[in-house]
Amino acid sequence: MDRKIGIGILGLGVVGSGIIHIIKENKEMLYKKIGSNLSIERVLVQDIEKDRNVTLPKKLLTTNPDDVLKNPDIDIVIEVIGGTDDAYIFIEEALNNRKHVVTANKDLIALYGSELHDLAEQQGCDLFYEASVGGGIPVLRGLTDGLVSDEIQEVMGIINGTTNYILTKMDEEGVPFEEALQDAQKLGFAEADPTADIKGLDAARKMAILARLAFHMNVALDDIETRGITNISLTDLEYGKQLGLTMKLIGMAKTHNDTVEVSVQPTFIANVHPLSAVKNEYNAVYVKGKAVGETMFYGPGAGSLPTATAIMADVIHVAKNIQLGITGKSGPIIERSARLSPPHLRTSSFYIRLHVHDRVGSFAHISQLFQDMDMSFKRIVQTPMKKQQTAEIILVTHQTSLESFTNAMNKLQQMDVVKSIESYYQIEGETV
Ligand code: HSE
């Protein structure tokens, strides 16, 4: 074992410990696969004395970032501290010192991926971030390597484990949102401050990364329509069951000619669609390509060893590139910034729940409105309510454009017979 690739790690939390575990546990196998010995040179921590469930000689730990970033024995810097402040400074510094970088940091890559790729390329360095989306699922490499020859048409993902756990619990046990969230926090899926998860921001950052790699366009976070799961009611989940639909927080990116739509929103998934079966904290990304057709990548979206596995895949990729002398070409080909699809090109079917005055002709009025707008229904459910003289109506439309749907919603809101629009959701997959 004479050849050596020096590794520096920034952070020794849950994921950092997982990386050390894998490097130690699989040392021989990794050597056979890479042809070099991966050597952990230094690890940046906040507190050297802290008790950790990983055994590492104390002399490898340091509180000085320069011991990693300027260390001549280190070839690859792994960043697992998270956040966008120190992490950005450290990654920039590592690249300026011609270190290759592997990171799990979705926030940083969603915001600054493009400029960090430019810097990496200038410095002849690799920059990889498989673990930033879908934890242990090799979906980024699936897009950039496995499906490299294909034209990707659609990427649709359940890419936030916390919200998928909450929605599964609500759907299967009839538990309200707040209680399901508390349960997710107790089990350690949700952060102490779960805002980024439940408001869809975490998923939006991951969609920016997926859309960039799938469509070769830079998608700004502000261009991603983002709606979280905080307002989902058990009533809609119950109607969903009757209609063969399951509610999921879906990240969606689709192309229409040379434009793209990217969104994160609670969406009803038809039970015939493979994403509807992805439960609890699991993640999955469905990718449709022109040549390959439908594919799906499924697995754990977080956790120490799954995330460390994705990081190690990147480390091994860099190690091989070093040996072949082909580093610095890791950046995705970005053709331009995304041009967003106009609403008339975006089509879907929709679920709408309305409260209407329960009197003769109410339904006929609504039906007339949709007929005038050339929108047709696939399903209609009407239920009288305990509230006096109110009926609840569920409409499931056929495929229609977002433009027509928005117009219909505006008109519905102005109708005398309509008391309130309680909720509306996009539907993906063929409804029965
Ligand atoms: N908060 C994220 C989730 C962690 O719940 O999926 C992984 O990015």
Side-chain angles (χ1 to χ4, degrees), residues 106 131-132 135 159-163 189-191 197 202 206 283 301-302:
K106 66 218 153 185
S132 64
I159 44 178
N160 183 271
T162 304
T163 46
F189 299 136
E191 312 284 335
D197 292 315
D202 175 81
K206 292 168 181 166
N283 282 201

Side-chain angles (χ1 to χ4, degrees), residues 134-139 158 164 274-286 295-301:
I137 311 173
V139 60
I158 295 172
N164 203 39
L275 281 175
S276 71
V278 178
K279 295 192 177 181
N280 297 317
E281 73 278 20
Y282 277 86
N283 282 201
V285 182
Y286 165 93
T295 62
M296 194 158 99
F297 301 80
Y298 170 87

Side-chain angles (χ1 to χ4, degrees), residues 68-83:
V68 176
L69 304 172
K70 294 189 174 157
N71 188 326
D73 294 327
I74 289 178
D75 302 289
I76 305 173
V77 171
I78 301 174
E79 183 272 312
V80 279
I81 53 174

Side-chain angles (χ1 to χ4, degrees), residues 243 340 365 404 426:
L243 297 163
L340 298 183
H365 272 89
S404 302
Q426 233 168 273

Side-chain angles (χ1 to χ4, degrees), residues 246-318:
T246 305
M247 180 71 77
K248 297 287 177 193
L249 182 68
I250 294 291
M252 152 80 74
K254 273 188 197 171
T255 48
H256 307 283
N257 305 328
D258 61 346
T259 65
V260 66
E261 65 166 295
V262 190
S263 62
V264 170
Q265 57 187 330
T267 303
F268 268 129
I269 301 290
N271 288 345
V272 290
H273 194 288
L275 281 175
S276 71
V278 178
K279 295 192 177 181
N280 297 317
E281 73 278 20
Y282 277 86
N283 282 201
V285 182
Y286 165 93
V287 179
K288 197 165 155 193
K290 198 171 178 181
V292 74
E294 298 178 294
T295 62
M296 194 158 99
F297 301 80
Y298 170 87
S304 171
L305 291 176
T307 309
T309 306
I311 286 173
M312 288 308 296
D314 284 345
V315 167
I316 291 165
H317 211 82
V318 179

Side-chain angles (χ1 to χ4, degrees), residues 79 83-96 99-129 209 212 218 328-332 334:
E79 183 272 312
T84 50
D85 299 333
D86 285 350
Y88 183 89
I89 296 166
F90 293 161
I91 289 180
E92 193 181 37
E93 176 79 6
L95 292 171
N96 280 328
K99 314 278 180 216
H100 309 282
V101 172
V102 172
T103 175
N105 196 325
K106 66 218 153 185
D107 304 3
L108 191 78
I109 295 298
L111 283 168
Y112 308 115
S114 205
E115 61 190 76
L116 288 172
H117 267 302
D118 287 347
L119 177 60
E121 206 170 305
Q122 275 165 32
Q123 297 295 98
C125 292
D126 279 345
L127 167 67
F128 289 128
Y129 38 86
I209 297 172
R212 183 192 292 151
N218 275 330
K329 297 170 178 61
S330 64
I334 301 299

